[in-house]
Amino acid sequence: QLSCPSLCETRLVYRLDVPGVPWWATQSRDPVYQCTCDGCPAFTEEGTEQVKKTLEADIWDNGQDLLTDIARREHLKLGPNRQMQELMVRRNELVLEANQAMSTGTRHEVENRIQNINAYYTHLITEAARTYPDEGLDKDTFDSLQRKEEESTG
């Protein structure tokens, strides 16, 4: 691992231990990177609660970033289509359900479940990008709506 754990709020310096020094690095043929921070929450109750809160706060933004990324990769001119967005809503619901079940004892299992949900819905959303149209309003409909808007604001 080349970085501090994602929950680390200190993010200090890393120590690079060569194979065999210290004694516990004897099992590795490669250098072992060690975080030198202190008090990282890792797999404690505090850390688990922090993971849950972070996921709840960031799920919508994360979903929008993923939708935009997929829309770009699939060359959608108008961005994510409605089907993609509806699939993302369902993915977010499932992730939040899994997140509620997380505790320190089940964290690894729940994180794996969330990864599986993400992989499955990324596939479904990519298929929706390929399957459903990337169409906006045709010019006549757009012009008609624009005229109605102008008339109503008058």
Side-chain angles (χ1 to χ4, degrees), residues 1 3-9 11 40-42 50-51 54 107 111:
Q1 178 174 336
S3 65
C4 285
S6 59
L7 295 177
C8 182
E9 294 178 4
R11 298 197 186 268
C40 291
Q50 191 172 349
V51 166
T54 300
R107 183 166 160 188
E111 286 177 347

Side-chain angles (χ1 to χ4, degrees), residues 37 41 43 46-47 49 51 108 114 131 151:
C37 302
F43 285 92
E46 174 191 351
E49 286 306 309
V51 166
H108 184 69
I114 290 171
T131 305
E151 290 169 6

Side-chain angles (χ1 to χ4, degrees), residues 3-153:
S3 65
C4 285
S6 59
L7 295 177
C8 182
E9 294 178 4
T10 311
R11 298 197 186 268
L12 295 174
V13 181
Y14 305 101
R15 185 177 75 214
L16 179 61
D17 295 330
V18 295
V21 179
W23 67 268
W24 50 262
T26 57
Q27 303 300 317
S28 176
R29 290 180 290 170
D30 300 317
V32 178
Y33 295 88
Q34 294 297 315
C35 176
T36 60
C37 302
D38 188 29
C40 291
F43 285 92
T44 63
E45 282 298 324
E46 174 191 351
T48 299
E49 286 306 309
Q50 191 172 349
V51 166
K52 289 171 76 168
K53 287 177 186 174
T54 300
L55 193 138
E56 289 171 10
D58 295 345
I59 187 86
W60 191 85
D61 289 334
N62 172 272
Q64 294 306 303
D65 289 345
L66 181 58
L67 286 173
T68 300
D69 180 56
I70 292 170
R72 282 187 183 136
R73 280 188 280 131
E74 297 301 323
H75 309 289
L76 298 180
K77 293 178 185 177
L78 300 175
N81 61 44
R82 183 172 183 85
Q83 184 66 25
M84 294 168 66
Q85 293 174 16
E86 289 176 0
L87 287 165
M88 184 56 70
V89 167
R90 184 63 185 139
R91 171 265 199 178
N92 289 351
E93 291 169 351
L94 291 172
V95 167
L96 289 174
E97 281 177 28
N99 189 48
Q100 290 304 312
M102 188 184 306
S103 67
T104 302
T106 64
R107 183 166 160 188
H108 184 69
E109 175 185 319
V110 171
E111 286 177 347
N112 283 339
R113 171 85 177 117
I114 290 171
Q115 287 177 352
N116 290 336
I117 292 168
N118 280 331
Y120 179 69
Y121 274 86
T122 298
H123 171 74
L124 291 179
I125 292 167
T126 301
E127 286 302 310
R130 293 174 182 159
T131 305
Y132 292 89
D134 182 30
E135 298 173 357
L137 299 174
D138 60 60
K139 183 169 177 15
D140 293 335
T141 305
F142 179 79
D143 290 343
S144 173
L145 288 172
Q146 194 171 19
R147 278 193 299 277
K148 285 181 184 177
E149 178 68 25
E150 288 169 359
E151 290 169 6
S152 69
T153 59

